[in-house]
Amino acid sequence: MIGRTLFWYFFRRYVVFTLQFFVGVMIISYLADFTEFSRRTSDLPNYSIGLAMLISALRVPLIVQTAIPFVILFSAMGTLMALNRKHELVIARSTGVSAWQFLAPLCLASLLIGVLTVVAFNPLAAKALSQAELVEATLHGVDPSSSNDDIIPWLRQQTDEGTTIIGATKTANRGQVLGDATFLKLDKDGSISERMDAKTATLEKGQWLLKDVTQYRSGKEITHSGSATVKSGLTPEFIEESLADPETIPFYELGRKVRAAHSFGLNAGGFAMQYHSLLALPWLLVAMTLIAATVSMRFVRMGQSAPMILGGILAGFLLYVVSVLVKAFGSAGIVPPVAAAWFPVVVAMFFGITFLLHKEDG
């Protein structure tokens, strides 16, 4: 059995590598997001460098959370390669330590990092992203070039004033703030009697508060106003279940959101998929560690095998692509969310374990 001192030595080396990669990814993500956001929004009237820096900083946690599997892959490869270059793994093996024993601290660290990501980092990332969307929607509006009719959310509400169809090109604050919103009022015959375009629309108690409004009425001139209100019987809970981005919901609330969406008769695929993806994340990181081990542990003895290292990177990238693909299937209801979240993880772990058994134990 590997000694306690050696176990924690490998554990610390791996955690240090992971923190270094984590900080590097965070800096690169921030610079890339700030550059792209400034390129898209610098011509807006309220744009400022300070505000762009703030929004990018709020979006970085979610970007880093998305990149964590690759952080684990590269840090595990880096740790094992560094230990090999200094012949520390060779010395450990000469004392009877097996590959599984010195992989145990790395797998444990990956599992703990995954748990910490889910229970602590994810709520922070979700809250930060929600705030970033709110700031962008209320102060910047929406970049017209980013509009896409295929993803515009639409709602239908019924009040004593009649039926109103509500659409928007962007949502924030879990759907309670709409950017570039359109309100279509229908008459008794189902024809459009009035159209109201607003830069932002905020759901308040019993009404929508519209800002920077342009009104179109049949047979009348177009009018502009700073604000207007539209009656609404929609509740914040219904709006949230209908329009909220699952990535803006903290892990602790996702289970309740799934049940609430079902109670409203809405499709809960997105919330369920996000929930099970986060549950599977710690084991996905363990799978990434095993994939890294298949190409890094025998690095010195096989003689600087660059193709093997590249193969590990490609294998990790393929696993990530498959995970994103099946996540889309799960969100759309094509595949059960549980299967979509766990299938890539199980396959990757079986691949890593089988390869290591073949190479290390014959």
Side-chain angles (χ1 to χ4, degrees):
M1 181 66 182
I2 186 173
R4 180 178 299 180
T5 301
L6 188 60
F7 181 96
W8 289 113
Y9 172 73
F10 287 159
F11 185 93
R12 287 194 301 271
R13 288 289 300 271
Y14 177 60
V15 170
V16 169
F17 259 95
T18 302
L19 289 176
Q20 291 173 346
F21 275 101
F22 185 87
V23 172
V25 169
M26 181 175 292
I27 294 174
I28 294 173
S29 300
Y30 179 77
L31 294 175
D33 186 81
F34 172 75
T35 302
E36 174 61 17
F37 182 78
S38 297
R39 184 191 66 81
R40 290 190 295 107
T41 61
S42 59
D43 57 342
L44 295 177
N46 294 327
Y47 171 84
S48 67
I49 294 180
L51 192 58
M53 293 176 66
L54 172 62
I55 293 176
S56 294
L58 290 172
R59 293 202 293 210
V60 160
L62 183 65
I63 299 174
V64 173
Q65 177 185 304
T66 305
I68 278 180
F70 284 105
V71 172
I72 293 299
L73 176 67
F74 291 130
S75 61
M77 292 176 63
T79 301
L80 292 171
M81 290 165 60
L83 292 173
N84 256 324
R85 280 199 301 269
K86 296 182 179 181
H87 303 288
E88 291 171 290
L89 291 187
V90 177
I91 296 173
R93 289 191 174 196
S94 67
T95 62
V97 177
S98 70
W100 303 105
Q101 289 176 310
F102 60 71
L103 276 179
L106 275 65
C107 290
L108 176 61
S110 295
L111 187 66
L112 293 177
I113 291 171
V115 172
L116 185 63
T117 300
V118 172
V119 301
F121 194 74
N122 170 259
L124 171 65
K127 182 66 175 179
L129 178 63
S130 181
Q131 290 298 315
E133 291 182 347
L134 181 61
V135 172
E136 184 178 356
T138 55
L139 297 182
H140 283 259
V142 181
D143 181 9
S145 64
S146 66
S147 299
N148 188 338
D149 292 339
D150 294 333
I151 61 173
I152 293 177
W154 291 96
L155 291 173
R156 185 185 184 96
Q157 69 173 30
Q158 186 75 35
T159 65
D160 55 6
E161 293 182 345
T163 302
T164 304
I165 306 297
I166 305 170
T169 58
K170 189 174 182 63
T171 64
N173 195 24
R174 301 185 182 182
Q176 297 180 47
V177 176
L178 308 179
D180 280 357
T182 299
F183 287 73
L184 303 176
K185 293 186 177 181
L186 308 181
D187 57 24
K188 295 180 179 180
D189 298 329
S191 301
I192 299 176
S193 60
E194 181 182 356
R195 169 174 172 167
M196 304 174 70
D197 292 341
K199 183 178 181 181
T200 62
T202 305
L203 181 65
E204 299 182 344
K205 188 175 182 179
Q207 67 178 15
W208 288 96
L209 177 60
L210 282 60
K211 296 291 184 66
D212 295 336
V213 185
T214 302
Q215 290 180 286
Y216 306 85
R217 296 179 181 176
S218 179
K220 297 183 180 180
E221 293 183 357
I222 299 175
T223 60
H224 303 274
S225 59
S227 64
T229 59
V230 175
K231 283 189 176 182
S232 176
L234 301 177
T235 63
E237 291 78 14
F238 180 82
I239 294 292
E240 188 170 322
E241 304 307 325
S242 302
L243 300 181
D245 183 350
E247 292 182 337
T248 64
I249 308 298
F251 171 74
Y252 300 110
E253 301 181 22
L254 282 170
R256 180 171 60 84
K257 296 303 177 186
V258 172
R259 295 189 294 271
H262 285 150
S263 69
F264 284 120
L266 301 173
N267 179 21
F271 294 121
M273 190 65 237
Q274 179 72 359
Y275 178 71
H276 288 290
S277 295
L278 290 174
L279 284 179
L281 180 62
W283 298 103
L284 176 63
L285 302 188
V286 174
M288 284 292 192
T289 305
L290 293 175
I291 290 175
T294 62
V295 298
S296 302
M297 287 197 310
R298 302 170 68 87
F299 185 65
V300 170
R301 289 186 292 172
M302 294 180 67
Q304 305 294 324
S305 182
M308 288 291 291
I309 302 301
L310 180 59
I313 296 174
L314 292 178
F317 180 76
L318 179 61
L319 174 60
Y320 177 77
V321 170
V322 171
S323 300
V324 172
L325 183 62
V326 296
K327 183 175 181 179
F329 288 155
S331 298
I334 300 174
V335 178
V338 176
W342 287 95
F343 176 76
V345 177
V346 173
V347 171
M349 291 191 70
F350 273 122
F351 167 78
I353 292 173
T354 301
F355 189 90
L356 290 173
L357 283 172
H358 174 71
K359 288 294 184 182
E360 300 299 323
D361 300 332

